[in-house]
Amino acid sequence: MTSPATLSAARTATDPTAWSARLWGMLITLCIVLFLDGLDVSMIGVALPSIGSELDLSTSTLQWLVSGYILGYGGLLLLGGRTADLLGRRKVFLIALAVFAVASLLGGLVSSGPLLILTRFIKGLAAAFTAPTGLSIITTNFAEGPARNKALSIYTVFGAGGYSMGLLFGGLMTGVGWRWTFLLPVPIAVAALVAGYFLVPKDEAAEEGGHDILGALLSTGAMLLLVYTVVTAPEVGWLSARSIGSFVVAVALFVAFVAVEKRVRYPLIRLGILRKASLVRASIAIVAVAGSYFSWQFIVTLYMQESLGWSPLKLAMALLPVGLMVVGSAFFSDKLVDRFGTGPIIAVTLVVMAVGYVLFLRLDDHPSYLTMLLPAVLLIGIGWVGFPAINIQATNGIEDEEQGLAAGVLQTSMQVGAAIVLAVTTAIVTSGAHTDTSPAGMLDAYRPGLVFAGVVAAVGALVALLAFVPKFRGRATEAREPEIALAG
């Protein structure tokens, strides 16, 4: 008689996507943590008015509740991915998740603006370690091909779902009390921490390697300063001495970082990895998707709530189809990748997303949801369906010991790139004197920002489409040859 264990092993051998219960448990645990990371980026926006009213915080102070998280998240992603590769992925993941849970709890208890901002910054720091580490745990536990494609599709759908469902959860939690937007993640993070302790397999620290302390300081300083500058530039002026000086210092730090990485024995980032065309294209695509969507969401939130008087929950329900499409794509995105490859999916979804932004330009001060808003929302949501393909494209062909690094590069591109796109959008919307505060007048002020979001998505689609042009495809092939020599 054949035992159940033998049958299970036989099924796994013939079907690489037939996973054990423990492997499924590990994947779901990692997915939940990534969902919390994405949720924390977008959920806080709905609660800002309530927080400002209760704690008597100015608008400029409130924006740091969003920017503080981005500063921590975007500034330390590269270090987070490399630390996981060096010290052990399981150890780094569990420690960072514990810090995230504690910071969330403190954020729901404090009643001081600066302390609230500090907890947001610490949560961003923790997410900078959990996000790339979780991705590298998956890519090192699932073989490249159908199994990894399926795992990454499910994983990244949860991440995209966190970003796209943030408004809904923010609206629900703010209705109860703004502190619940901080407290909601606590029990979920604690449960994930316990599950991760038992389900994430132990791994050894790298046998060879060292800590590039100087490179870490330079890269982190450059990222933090760059994000800080683009976040504050709309307020102090893009051409002010402060903004220009900060940009110059950020560039100088980046130049110094590159010089150090070329000379240090154990670099924080092997510069040769940036020659991998697929990673570069994926990084541009993820900036296009996240940057355009966050800009669009920012404008829609302001216009619908402040100009049209929509409640946070009504707005959340209006944008709910985006989240539902993202969640639904978990059932077929890996099959699309297996059949068509990552490139076509990324190109098509970005083109459709750009069309959605164009359709949204029809918005007026008495919008019909079914005929005007819903078609655009559905097309924009399709852009997130391509999100798993972007992550798969970025990590395919990367050695196991550099999976955390590749994940860090991709996530850094997303956070820093999206912050830059959003800052430019804000500058476009707020430039000039807008004396007409009627819904029609405010829409005129917001429309250039909507156009810019569409342009960003279109540029991302163009870069993805260029991979199918023989001339550029040949260059991409040539670009991979020196990397093989470096690796050897």
Side-chain angles (χ1 to χ4, degrees), residues 342-379:
T342 57
I345 295 173
I346 295 171
V348 170
T349 53
L350 272 170
V351 168
V352 174
M353 195 178 205
V355 173
Y357 294 130
V358 172
L359 286 182
F360 213 83
L361 293 175
R362 302 179 303 152
L363 188 66
D364 57 31
D365 52 358
H366 293 88
S368 166
Y369 184 73
L370 289 179
T371 62
M372 185 176 294
L373 296 181
L374 184 59
V377 167
L378 291 175
L379 293 178

Side-chain angles (χ1 to χ4, degrees), residues 281-296 299 346-347 349-358 361 383-384 390 413-414 416-426 428 447-465:
R281 288 198 301 270
S283 298
I284 295 173
I286 206 167
V287 170
V289 171
S292 63
Y293 180 80
F294 291 161
S295 297
W296 170 78
I299 292 173
I346 295 171
T349 53
L350 272 170
V351 168
V352 174
M353 195 178 205
V355 173
Y357 294 130
V358 172
L361 293 175
W384 283 106
I390 296 174
S413 300
M414 177 178 176
V416 177
I420 292 174
V421 172
L422 180 57
V424 173
T425 302
T426 304
I428 292 174
R447 189 167 276 118
L450 293 172
V451 173
F452 180 68
V455 170
V456 170
V459 170
L462 179 61
V463 171
L465 289 170

Side-chain angles (χ1 to χ4, degrees), residues 462-486:
L462 179 61
V463 171
L465 289 170
L466 286 178
F468 302 102
V469 178
K471 176 181 177 181
F472 289 91
R473 184 165 34 189
R475 290 180 181 176
T477 303
E478 294 172 4
R480 286 194 291 268
E481 295 175 359
E483 185 181 3
I484 296 174
L486 284 172

Side-chain angles (χ1 to χ4, degrees), residues 299-305 307-308 363-365 439 443 446:
I299 292 173
V300 170
T301 300
L302 288 179
Y303 181 67
M304 297 299 190
Q305 289 193 71
S307 298
L308 299 187
L363 188 66
D364 57 31
D365 52 358
L443 184 59
Y446 292 141

Side-chain angles (χ1 to χ4, degrees), residues 399-451:
E399 297 295 330
D400 282 356
E401 62 268 18
E402 290 191 324
Q403 285 289 337
L405 174 60
V409 170
L410 185 69
Q411 293 284 348
T412 299
S413 300
M414 177 178 176
Q415 296 300 325
V416 177
I420 292 174
V421 172
L422 180 57
V424 173
T425 302
T426 304
I428 292 174
V429 169
T430 57
S431 62
H434 304 294
T435 57
D436 186 357
T437 58
S438 66
M442 294 307 299
L443 184 59
D444 289 338
Y446 292 141
R447 189 167 276 118
L450 293 172
V451 173

